Amino acid sequence: MTLLSFTPSRHLNLNPTTTFVSIVRRPPLNPVPSSLFFCPTSPPLPLHILYRPPRPSLSLVSAPRAASSAGYLLHDAGATALVLAGAYTLVLCFDNLTKRNLLQQSLSRKLVHISSGLLFVLSWPIFSTSTEARYFASVVPLFNGLRLLLSGLSLVPNEGLVKSVTREGNPKELLRGPLYYVLILILSALVFWRESPVGVISLAMMCGGDGVADIMGRRFGSIKIPYNQKKSWAGSISMFVFGFLVSLGMLYYYSILGYFNLDWMDTVQKVAFVSLVATAVESLPITEIVDDNISVPLASMAAAYFSFSL
């Protein structure tokens, strides 16, 4: 061990206050191997790590995520199959009723118009919370759209489908209103989904409001609107009332499930405004230019987006 001591020099005639440093080596009391001490003159000892905590394997981290993704995939695939089966059964029931002449073709068409879209919106909560859930839900109207295309182009004739959803029994009609209808369903699911009341309200106006307006207008529509002789006051009033009520019912349904948190006093006023806009657009004499299945939901989307953004 090396010690440093300071002693006055006895061999030089220097000032008594002057001191030198002398190095005195003394043997250690308990000899210890010098390799245990760090000395500037000795080479550094290699560092040995006796224990290294294990790092989580990448495969172990990604395994729960993969399992979760697989669970969502199976969940949404099952929900899609269930909704597809329900939609097919619904249309099949109206097809059979129409074929047996138990239901008028015009009434069957409108009942399919009302029920299929609303049931599609009601089915959204059974899908998972994954980001891909909306795409699985969109498969349902996409499948129906393909059926309409095949039947409308006479590639796969389907007499029952033609009778249940067309006005005059012409397959070409499937390529207009009914096809626009399923395209709006796809648009609402992909763009708005369960994240905004805009999509729910627009579909409620198209299905509940416009659907009931046609039924009521045909039965009680003797008094026509002055600027459009094809529309009646009974139909327009029904459009406003039922569009308003169905929209509120859908919003309440999604609020109970926790998707929307709404101020109901404010929401009632906004929905009334959207119903008024949709009713006004539906009454315009533009059916030959723009189908109601396009004009009504798009106008409702614009009005709802404006109202709920304020």
Side-chain angles (χ1 to χ4, degrees), residues 20-32:
F20 286 89
V21 178
S22 62
I23 300 176
V24 180
R25 293 183 179 272
R26 297 177 182 174
L29 297 177
N30 296 319
V32 181

Side-chain angles (χ1 to χ4, degrees), residues 2 25 34 37-44:
T2 302
R25 293 183 179 272
S34 60
F37 294 91
F38 173 76
C39 180
T41 59
S42 62

Side-chain angles (χ1 to χ4, degrees), residues 38-284:
F38 173 76
C39 180
T41 59
S42 62
L45 297 175
L47 181 62
H48 298 282
I49 300 177
L50 300 180
Y51 174 76
R52 184 189 299 274
R55 295 181 179 180
S57 173
L58 183 59
S59 60
L60 295 178
V61 174
S62 59
R65 296 179 182 176
S68 178
S69 299
Y72 286 145
L73 181 64
L74 292 175
H75 181 126
D76 291 328
T80 302
L82 180 63
V83 178
L84 270 174
Y88 181 78
T89 303
L90 177 70
V91 176
L92 185 62
C93 289
F94 285 109
D95 288 348
N96 292 330
L97 292 175
T98 305
K99 287 179 180 179
R100 296 178 182 181
N101 295 322
L102 298 176
L103 197 65
Q104 295 180 355
Q105 182 176 341
S106 59
L107 182 58
S108 172
R109 180 178 61 86
K110 276 304 171 182
L111 291 177
V112 171
H113 177 99
I114 295 170
S115 58
S116 59
L118 295 181
L119 289 176
F120 176 62
V121 179
L122 291 173
S123 72
W124 289 356
I126 71 175
F127 290 86
S128 73
T129 57
S130 68
T131 55
E132 294 80 12
R134 67 183 68 197
Y135 301 106
F136 278 91
S138 300
V139 170
V140 178
L142 178 62
F143 177 79
N144 290 327
L146 292 176
R147 289 182 64 205
L148 294 173
L149 280 173
L150 294 175
S151 299
L153 296 174
S154 298
L155 297 176
V156 181
N158 190 332
E159 183 180 354
L161 179 63
V162 172
K163 286 185 177 181
S164 63
V165 299
T166 61
R167 294 176 183 269
E168 301 174 358
N170 185 356
K172 297 295 182 182
E173 292 183 49
L174 298 176
L175 303 178
R176 295 193 291 272
L179 183 60
Y180 303 149
Y181 180 90
V182 297
L183 291 177
I184 291 297
L185 295 181
I186 294 172
L187 176 66
S188 298
L190 292 179
V191 176
F192 300 107
W193 193 223
R194 301 170 300 203
E195 301 167 356
S196 170
V198 174
V200 174
I201 293 174
S202 62
L203 294 184
M205 292 295 171
M206 181 181 72
C207 302
D210 185 45
V212 175
D214 186 80
I215 296 175
M216 301 300 290
R218 290 178 182 274
R219 291 182 176 272
F220 309 104
S222 57
I223 304 176
K224 303 297 181 181
I225 297 177
Y227 55 85
N228 188 358
Q229 292 300 307
K230 293 183 178 180
K231 304 288 183 177
S232 65
W233 282 109
S236 293
I237 293 173
S238 300
M239 169 78 186
F240 177 84
V241 173
F242 283 92
F244 175 77
L245 294 177
V246 173
S247 296
L248 287 181
M250 286 292 182
L251 293 179
Y252 183 70
Y253 169 72
Y254 275 89
S255 297
I256 289 178
L257 297 178
Y259 291 102
F260 300 148
N261 185 16
L262 302 172
D263 179 356
W264 285 104
M265 292 297 295
D266 189 46
T267 299
V268 168
Q269 299 176 19
K270 292 178 179 179
V271 173
F273 170 73
V274 176
S275 298
L276 183 61
V277 171
T279 302
V281 170
E282 192 269 343
S283 68
L284 296 175

